[in-house]
Every structure is written in C-alpha cells, then in structure tokens.
Amino acid sequence: MWQSVRHARLIFFIATGLALGLGIVNRQSTFAQINVPPAQPPAVVAAPAAASFIFLPLTSKQPASAPAPSSFADQVITLVNQYRASAGCAALTTNAALTTAAQAHAVDMAVNDYFSHTGLNGSHPWDRATAAGYNWSMIGENIAAGYSTPAAAVAGWVASPPHYANMVNCNFQDTGVGYYYLASDPGSYTYHYYWVQDFGKPW
C-alpha cells in the first residue's frame, strides 16, 4: 500500500436496480471525502493515510444472455472518449497495465461473489494499478454490474454525476477496461455482467 496516498474519495450510486461504484485517488491532495446514500447502512473498511472508505453491498437482478465478445472493452472506451470530446477533454489512451488491473478485478468480483472497489485481498484501485505496473500520480475507477452491453454500462455511469465526472476528468490520460460475463452466477451477487474502468494519470 502506498503511504504517499493522501487523498481518497469513494462514491457509490444506485440506479434502476443496477450497481455502480466510483473511486478516485490523488497523491497530491490532503482532503478526504465520503459520500454515501444515507438510507444504506455502511460498513467501514480501512484506507491509507487515515482516510475513510465506505463500502455498500449492492444487488442487481437482470436476465443473463449469451457471453459478449472481447470487443466490449474497446466499445466502452470509444463511448467514454466520445463524452470526453464533448466535454473538451483529450481521448484516453488504452493502457495495458490498467487493462490488466481492470480485467483482473472484474473477474475477481464475478468469481468470488462481491461488488466493491476493495478486493477480497484488501487491495484498492491504486494497489491493483501499481501491481500491474502502472506508475501513477492519479487513479480513478468506475465499476458497474448487471448491465448487459457497453452502451448500457456507460449510460449508467453517465446518469450518475460523480461517475460521469470521472469519465470527463481531463486530468486522466490513460484507461483500461475489464469486462467479465458469468453465465452461472448463483451467489449473493447475481449480476452476471461485471464492468471495471480504471483511469490514470502517469507519474
């Protein structure tokens, strides 16, 4: 865990029965913010530099369909870059390390039956980016579950102001998208479709 991480913000948003999550970390700030829908009882988990994170377990029920092609990740990036262009931001560049981190987290959530920015091993988005080899000065992450297409997942993020803010943050330069379809999803979190988009600014 990076001891130099001094700013952490994690916001969760629930839209139309589907699950969304957002996180952003900036090494250069000393401010920590928590924003959680008040009706949900949170469970607090540890975060670096005395910042607090809130984790909300969310559920989603949507009928599953056939597995998606590997191009789904590319479609997400194309759609996000279209929104960035409209906001006056440069297009994100696909980064292999961030893609590795995002894909691993999407698979981990699906296979191990959870939905959170915090991995079961205690890892956070910046930990996974670092482990994948990305040397960052700023990291953001959007997650979603239950959306069966790239357009639906991106639309869910766009409908949530904090997720959209991550998408059109002009400070981010790199991105990686992970997608995993779990046809048989019998656990507590039966989303079937798991999405992760990591955003990064190199150090």
Side-chain angles (χ1 to χ4, degrees):
M1 184 176 295
W2 285 85
Q3 295 182 353
S4 59
V5 175
R6 295 180 180 177
H7 171 279
R9 183 178 63 185
L10 182 61
I11 301 173
F12 284 92
F13 180 81
I14 306 173
T16 63
L18 302 171
L20 297 171
L22 165 135
I24 186 170
V25 174
N26 187 331
R27 296 181 192 227
Q28 300 170 334
S29 174
T30 58
F31 179 72
Q33 174 183 346
I34 305 169
N35 185 345
V36 180
Q40 299 290 336
V44 180
V45 299
S52 295
F53 275 75
I54 299 296
F55 162 60
L56 293 180
L58 308 175
T59 58
S60 170
K61 296 286 186 179
Q62 266 201 345
S65 60
S70 59
S71 64
F72 267 26
D74 292 334
Q75 291 179 43
V76 168
I77 295 171
T78 296
L79 290 168
V80 169
N81 278 335
Q82 290 173 0
Y83 283 103
R84 288 176 64 84
S86 298
C89 297
L92 295 167
T93 300
T94 302
N95 179 274
L98 291 179
T99 300
T100 296
Q103 183 63 35
H105 191 51
V107 172
D108 192 43
M109 289 192 295
V111 172
N112 291 303
D113 192 34
Y114 73 99
F115 181 76
S116 174
H117 290 286
T118 304
L120 293 184
N121 62 355
S123 66
H124 298 292
W126 59 89
D127 298 315
R128 296 187 290 271
T130 299
Y134 188 75
N135 188 21
W136 55 272
S137 62
M138 187 175 181
I139 285 288
E141 182 175 84
N142 285 352
I143 60 176
Y147 297 88
S148 60
T149 67
V154 172
W157 288 329
V158 169
S160 165
H163 295 86
Y164 180 72
N166 243 8
M167 291 170 51
V168 298
N169 186 328
C170 293
N171 290 314
F172 289 129
Q173 301 173 18
D174 301 320
T175 193
V177 171
Y179 167 78
Y180 192 73
Y181 171 80
L182 189 63
S184 177
D185 199 358
S188 299
Y189 298 89
T190 55
Y191 300 133
H192 296 286
Y193 310 93
Y194 296 80
W195 305 85
V196 178
Q197 182 167 22
D198 287 335
F199 305 86
K201 178 182 179 181
W203 185 253

